[in-house]
Amino acid sequence: MIDTEASRTAVLVCQGRAVANGRLGVGRFSDPLAVELLTAGERELVDRVRAGDIPKGVGARIEYELLSGTAELLAARTAVIDDAVRESANPQLVILGAGLDSRAWRMPELAGVTVYEVDHPASQALKRERLGARTTEADLHFVPVDFGKDTLGASLTAAGHDATRPTTWIWEGVVTYLTPAEIADTVTEVAKRSAPGSRLIVTYTTPNLVHRYGRRAMELLLSVTGRANPMAREPQRSSWTPEGLAALLTERGLTPTSDIDMVAAAAAAEVVGKRERFLAAGRIVVADRV
Ligand SMILES: C[S@@+](CC[C@H](N)C(=O)[O-])C[C@H]1O[C@@H](n2cnc3c(N)ncnc32)[C@H](O)[C@@H]1O
């Protein structure tokens, strides 16, 4: 990410949730706030995809397909993560790289829970501006952190996080944009602050050549057709095998209790879609401090 600019992929995934709301995984997934956190311009494409209005030009078609696939992926992963958060029912929730995540506002189970939204300062500023005067029943704290520069533990301590009480941690759609060293350092901090009963939920990308080159081709087509590329400033910096990530977590005392791919997540969330290739490379691991 560029230091002063908010994440564009955070907007893309919010658009994905806005497309999916009420249409995918109904009864399992819902995010009515997503559309409210978008600008009028960002909503135009959301409306087009929701209407099934397939555009003709190559660039516009790529944008349409990217958002359609993102919507399927987001409905699936959001529902599965929400379940894992409910199941852990811890008194503290830390959302790492929160972007335009709406859990603190839409999940009634988080009423009274202390929620720390950690994000890059520029992305967090954009979210706070877009939230306006909205309030939540959660005890919400914003914690600006750049994983590549700042110390997560010190920032959380300053914000009031209590490492002696169990915490649920969500790291959704973020590690792919971080280097392996940034990920290892962050997991070390998370583990140190995870009292027994804590849970870490991470989505990650596996080394999948079809996905990697498919994404590159999509980005190239967006750029040659003069369309905005939401991934332009946020390159993929790491991918993990399930075994590799499990070793990293286990070495730090976090024991993986489930690790499923996004196709299985979509099935669990009853998301019936047509764009399985968007899901194929992603996984969700849940690791517990026992
Ligand atoms: C694809 S968005 C995901 C947002 C959110 N978790 C969701 O699923 O809606 C990626 C997020 O990672 C954050 N991020 C990327 N690199 C970061 C860094 N070095 N430090 C802090 N946050 C970072 C961005 O600010 C952005 O909010």
Side-chain angles (χ1 to χ4, degrees):
M1 286 189 57
I2 297 173
D3 268 358
T4 52
E5 289 180 43
S7 163
R8 299 309 299 167
T9 61
V11 171
L12 173 66
V13 294
C14 185
Q15 287 175 302
R17 289 190 292 265
V19 167
N21 183 50
R23 304 178 80 244
L24 292 172
V26 177
R28 297 277 293 110
F29 162 80
S30 136
D31 189 350
L33 183 60
V35 71
E36 296 179 27
L37 296 179
L38 300 171
T39 63
E42 290 159 2
R43 283 183 205 174
E44 271 175 33
L45 185 58
V46 169
D47 292 341
R48 176 156 222 172
V49 174
R50 283 178 68 87
D53 177 11
I54 300 174
K56 292 218 163 48
V58 175
R61 180 65 191 261
I62 296 288
E63 271 181 346
Y64 180 96
E65 290 299 322
L66 174 61
L67 185 53
S68 302
T70 300
E72 292 178 18
L73 172 65
L74 266 290
R77 86 180 188 198
T78 304
V80 169
I81 293 171
D82 287 357
D83 285 348
V85 170
R86 281 188 201 103
E87 190 186 71
S88 59
N90 280 324
Q92 303 181 105
L93 173 68
V94 179
I95 306 177
L96 300 163
L100 298 170
D101 187 302
S102 64
R103 290 187 174 87
W105 292 266
R106 69 172 170 75
M107 286 183 72
E109 298 86 348
L110 297 181
V113 170
T114 309
V115 177
Y116 299 92
E117 285 212 350
V118 175
D119 206 353
H120 189 281
S123 304
Q124 193 160 84
L126 180 85
K127 180 178 196 173
R128 296 187 74 167
E129 188 187 307
R130 292 188 179 197
L131 277 169
R134 284 180 183 79
T135 55
T136 161
E137 297 293 306
D139 173 21
L140 179 65
H141 303 260
F142 288 103
V143 188
V145 169
D146 181 335
F147 295 122
K149 289 187 181 157
D150 305 319
T151 313
L152 175 66
S155 304
L156 280 171
T157 300
H161 177 253
D162 182 352
T164 66
R165 299 173 76 212
T167 301
T168 299
W169 307 80
I170 299 175
W171 211 3
E172 179 187 7
V174 186
V175 303
T176 200
Y177 304 110
L178 303 179
T179 64
E182 288 167 350
I183 294 164
D185 288 349
T186 305
V187 175
T188 300
E189 288 294 319
V190 165
K192 270 194 225 157
R193 306 189 68 87
S194 289
S198 294
R199 163 169 283 188
L200 171 63
I201 306 156
V202 189
T203 69
Y204 64 101
T205 308
T206 55
N208 178 315
L209 286 182
V210 174
H211 170 83
R212 199 179 182 90
Y213 290 115
R215 178 173 158 143
R216 279 203 194 149
M218 200 168 239
E219 291 192 49
L220 188 65
L221 284 170
L222 285 173
S223 119
V224 297
T225 55
R227 299 272 157 174
N229 170 10
M231 288 91 75
R233 292 184 294 105
E234 295 167 64
Q236 184 179 328
R237 291 209 161 86
S238 68
S239 60
W240 297 82
T241 61
E243 298 75 21
L245 190 54
L248 180 85
L249 298 170
T250 307
E251 278 161 16
R252 289 159 180 80
L254 297 165
T255 307
T257 49
S258 89
D259 186 336
I260 61 170
D261 66 29
M262 291 296 176
V263 175
E270 295 164 31
V271 173
V272 181
K274 290 183 268 190
R275 294 170 177 84
E276 222 171 77
R277 70 181 188 283
F278 275 85
L279 309 180
R283 298 186 71 88
I284 306 179
V285 60
V286 176
D288 291 327
R289 168 79 83 197
V290 283

